[in-house]
Amino acid sequence: MKHSPVLALCFGASLSLGAQGIGGLPSLEWYRLDGDSIRLVTTPATLPFAERSYDLIEGLTRLRPMSLGNKLKRIDMFVQPVTVVANGFVGVTPWRSFLYATPPQDQSLVSTNSWADALAIHEYRHVEQYSNLLRGWTKFARVVAGNAGWGVLTGLSTPDWFFEGDAVYSETALTYAGRGRTPAFTALQRALALDGVRYSYIKARNGSLRSRVPNHYPLGYALVQHGRLVHDDPWTTVVRKAGTFWPPLYPFSRALRRETGLNTRRFYREAYDSLGRVWNEAASAKTLTPQRRITPLGRQVPLYAFPQPVNRPGDSLLVVSRQRRDDINRLLLLHLDGREQDLTPLGFVLDDAFHAADQTLAWARYSVDARRPDVTYSDLYVADLAHPRPRRLTERQQLFGPGLDAAGEYVVAVQLPAGGPDARTVGRQPCLVEYDLAGGELGRRACFGYELIIAPRYIDAGRSAVVAVVKLDGFLSLQRLDFDGGAEQLTPWTRHVIGTPYVFADHVYFSADFSGVDNIYRVGMSGGAAIEQLTEVAVGAYNPSTDGGNLYFTEVDAEGDPVSVLQASAWLRRAVTIVEPNDLPQYAGLRPDAAGEEFRERYMPAAPG
């Protein structure tokens, strides 16, 4: 590997205001990693992230696991260091790729794989796809019209569900986690199957403004997996024939029919009929807990999240976020009979996560630098029930997952040091930072040697420590973290997704996918305490909170995500034995080829640290 410094670059103006544009960065020092297949450009602050990505991509090009063909076109890749958006992309006009170095807080979005691993495997699969589609008339179009011709014919020949579904399958089969082993990824598909809904291929392919339709990521994953399991993996041949763009009408569908006997419509119906039977049989074998739904569903498909009890004399209330098609994200007061009272808009947020304590609310809001559109921030905002107009607490920071103390006077958040001009040290360890809400002043600060800290929550009124989900080498654990740097493990390290914790009395409540379906669990505050499962739901349960008498959480439905309540007398309190995702029987078909097995054993860590 050639590792050479590059002169400092200053991009004065953005070429595009889009999230995937080039430019808009401050003056930064850059490094370049040169290999046979990629040239990867990074900054000192993101050098470990880049080196990990580089190693994985070089391994992919040497071993060629689950190869789509013998073509690989060299590409320039850039690590984007100064954005709070978790993203990545490959584009052909020009031929380049961007990896956004800041990981998401919500691990159900990408599974527990390390962010560098998930991005490198997923995005480089797109490189392999584009490279092997460059043949026949597609290649001729590139000769005539440049990369624009390549992009146009590729977009016309191959559906977006294949691009993303095949990349998700790769990130799943080549690791021990991946979105294919994350129940939240398929939750809406399973909810539709339980309701007996199977949309037409055209509606599934193009989406809908009226119905809740899974996007092209889970759609593509379901179809790609079906092809591998049932039709002896036709995708290498389908890609080769689709890339020739001959015959020019529906080349991908025609290629699929030659290999499987089914065009895309019939292939889709066969796949979803098969999956529907499997999902319905699994759900019918469960004895579900008797939770009651509080919120109604309707045409606007309301998506509720993070219901939390609040103290207001004479009322039993929850604060909840809600997103609807006819409205922006908002915070609401929710009565237990379903009545809603508007509080305040959340604003432009990366997710709906917020925290409520006493009369106070806190969340993180997204913003873009006025001068450089590729520089983005995540700042803390607070409000109270009596005067719910939001107040900005910080400015131009990268802060996530805020948690309030019991009195609503202090807030703790996760700080991910920016990769800007002042980030001269190698590595970006997450830190806990505390702010005084009265004056907005920064108080205590403690940094930890983890890959990520997620949603810290104070454990007592004295603010002696917090409970948070921590991530290391693709494993998660609930841990108690002290501001002096100490840590105590509450749950074992696992590749299962663990959701935002909620602290009440001497327990921590959280969602997890230990059984292959997301449910609500709790664990005691002392290390070594047993984990108890509290719910058994058909599709998925998320965002738990409790007042001691009731458990509140959200579920997934074909018509929205309602808030449900389960009385304490009906909690399962079932002891849990954790079986890792790779060993669960429902994922037994996710086996890579010999080269994929070698890649996984060589590059995926067996344990954290």
Side-chain angles (χ1 to χ4, degrees):
M1 177 181 72
K2 181 180 177 183
H3 179 192
S4 59
V6 178
L7 294 177
L9 302 179
C10 180
F11 297 94
S14 175
L15 299 180
S16 167
L17 294 180
Q20 297 180 354
I22 301 174
L25 295 172
S27 178
L28 298 171
E29 182 180 1
W30 295 91
Y31 286 86
R32 187 179 71 224
L33 310 180
D34 280 326
D36 295 334
S37 56
I38 60 168
R39 180 168 52 213
L40 201 155
V41 180
T42 184
T43 63
T46 54
L47 186 56
F49 179 97
E51 289 177 329
R52 173 62 175 174
S53 300
Y54 178 93
D55 289 343
L56 288 179
I57 291 171
E58 287 292 287
L60 290 171
T61 59
R62 286 194 304 269
L63 298 173
R64 304 302 302 276
M66 301 187 303
S67 174
L68 286 175
N70 57 7
K71 291 188 173 185
L72 276 180
K73 185 173 174 57
R74 195 168 190 260
I75 192 169
D76 293 334
M77 305 186 83
F78 303 86
V79 177
Q80 223 289 17
V82 289
T83 179
V84 298
V85 177
N87 199 4
F89 74 96
V90 173
V92 298
T93 52
W95 177 237
R96 85 290 189 208
S97 175
F98 269 69
L99 308 178
Y100 291 52
T102 300
Q105 283 274 297
D106 184 357
Q107 297 303 286
S108 67
L109 296 176
V110 292
S111 89
T112 60
N113 281 330
S114 293
W115 180 234
D117 296 8
L119 267 190
I121 296 172
H122 185 101
E123 300 306 332
Y124 199 72
R125 187 63 171 188
H126 290 323
V127 174
E128 187 174 1
Q129 292 163 351
Y130 279 114
S131 298
N132 285 282
L133 284 163
L134 187 59
R135 61 182 74 240
W137 284 106
T138 304
K139 189 173 183 179
F140 177 77
R142 182 172 180 266
V143 172
V144 173
N147 282 4
W150 179 16
V152 168
L153 258 68
T154 297
L156 290 174
S157 69
T158 308
D160 57 356
W161 63 253
F162 174 76
F163 281 106
E164 299 303 347
D166 179 61
V168 170
Y169 189 92
S170 295
E171 77 184 48
T172 303
L174 297 180
T175 68
Y176 296 102
R179 275 176 280 188
R181 295 188 181 92
T182 304
F185 182 67
T186 61
L188 179 53
Q189 291 170 307
R190 290 182 283 117
L192 290 167
L194 292 181
D195 282 358
V197 176
R198 189 197 67 196
Y199 295 122
S200 69
Y201 172 74
I202 295 300
K203 187 170 183 175
R205 167 74 172 81
N206 296 322
S208 172
L209 295 176
R210 301 183 63 181
S211 305
R212 195 179 185 194
V213 180
N215 65 30
H216 53 293
Y217 285 84
L219 167 66
Y221 175 77
L223 299 184
V224 168
Q225 183 185 36
H226 182 73
R228 288 185 176 274
L229 292 177
V230 178
H231 292 282
D232 195 26
D233 191 9
W235 303 118
T236 299
T237 304
V238 170
V239 165
R240 185 175 68 249
K241 293 180 178 179
T244 64
F245 210 80
W246 188 262
L249 292 177
Y250 305 112
F252 188 91
S253 182
R254 289 170 181 259
L256 183 62
R257 185 172 60 186
R258 285 194 292 269
E259 294 304 307
T260 66
L262 305 170
N263 63 16
T264 48
R265 284 189 175 96
R266 293 174 59 199
F267 187 86
Y268 162 79
R269 289 197 294 268
E270 180 186 83
Y272 270 74
D273 286 345
S274 174
L275 284 171
R277 287 192 295 270
V278 172
W279 288 332
N280 278 281
E281 288 174 4
S284 63
K286 300 178 183 293
T287 301
L288 306 181
T289 44
Q291 55 267 13
R292 175 177 63 88
R293 290 187 176 180
I294 301 175
T295 51
L297 301 178
R299 289 183 56 190
Q300 299 304 328
V301 190
L303 307 179
Y304 294 90
F306 297 97
Q308 297 165 63
V310 291
N311 298 321
R312 197 167 80 172
D315 287 321
S316 295
L317 296 171
L318 304 174
V319 176
V320 63
S321 71
R322 186 198 66 195
Q323 178 184 355
R324 290 194 325 198
R325 288 197 175 124
D326 64 343
D327 198 2
I328 62 175
N329 291 15
R330 310 190 71 85
L331 292 178
L332 307 172
L333 277 176
L334 176 64
H335 295 258
L336 297 189
D337 60 6
R339 289 179 293 123
E340 297 176 355
Q341 177 184 340
D342 183 60
L343 280 176
T344 184
L346 274 173
F348 196 173
V349 294
L350 296 175
D351 58 51
D352 292 329
F354 74 97
H355 190 234
D358 194 41
Q359 300 285 307
T360 308
L361 312 170
W363 67 96
R365 184 180 288 185
Y366 170 84
S367 63
V368 180
D369 187 85
R371 180 182 176 189
R372 299 184 176 95
D374 284 344
V375 180
T376 58
Y377 308 105
S378 180
D379 284 300
L380 302 185
Y381 280 71
V382 294
D384 60 71
L385 297 184
H387 306 284
R389 184 174 180 177
R391 174 172 64 93
R392 185 167 65 182
L393 191 66
T394 67
E395 187 172 2
R396 299 166 66 90
Q397 298 293 318
Q398 290 191 326
L399 300 171
F400 305 88
L404 294 158
D405 72 320
E409 298 175 349
Y410 293 87
V411 62
V412 60
V414 178
Q415 182 184 56
L416 297 178
D422 299 328
R424 299 299 179 187
T425 58
V426 174
R428 302 201 302 170
Q429 291 184 344
C431 303
L432 294 176
V433 293
E434 184 180 62
Y435 287 88
D436 178 356
L437 267 62
E441 297 179 353
L442 177 63
R444 296 179 293 177
R445 186 172 187 268
C447 299
F448 297 82
Y450 298 119
E451 177 183 336
L452 187 62
I453 300 174
I454 303 165
R457 299 293 183 257
Y458 290 110
I459 66 169
D460 55 31
R463 312 189 335 271
S464 61
V466 302
V467 166
V469 181
V470 300
K471 184 175 185 179
L472 184 62
D473 294 333
F475 291 82
L476 298 184
S477 172
L478 270 172
Q479 297 198 10
R480 169 184 168 139
L481 304 178
D482 300 319
F483 277 92
D484 62 5
E488 180 183 10
Q489 191 170 316
L490 301 183
T491 63
W493 290 105
T494 179
R495 289 189 173 96
H496 287 286
V497 171
I498 298 175
T500 300
Y502 186 86
V503 176
F504 182 81
D506 55 353
H507 283 87
V508 183
Y509 296 76
F510 58 97
S511 65
D513 58 9
F514 296 144
S515 66
V517 170
D518 287 290
N519 273 291
I520 307 303
Y521 299 82
R522 72 173 184 177
V523 68
M525 287 287 193
S526 59
I531 302 173
E532 294 180 317
Q533 181 177 347
L534 303 182
T535 67
E536 186 73 89
V537 299
V539 177
Y542 306 91
N543 314 141
S545 66
T546 184
D547 54 14
N550 291 317
L551 181 68
Y552 307 101
F553 53 93
T554 59
E555 296 188 77
V556 176
D557 187 270
E559 297 180 350
D561 293 349
V563 177
S564 295
V565 57
L566 180 66
Q567 294 182 348
S569 59
W571 296 357
L572 287 182
R573 295 182 171 86
R574 179 192 296 163
V576 174
T577 300
I578 298 177
V579 178
E580 287 301 285
N582 188 59
D583 298 319
L584 288 173
Q586 55 265 51
Y587 306 129
L590 284 167
R591 291 289 182 263
D593 56 16
E597 194 68 52
E598 182 180 352
F599 174 86
R600 189 165 65 170
E601 291 178 358
R602 180 180 299 183
Y603 291 101
M604 296 298 110

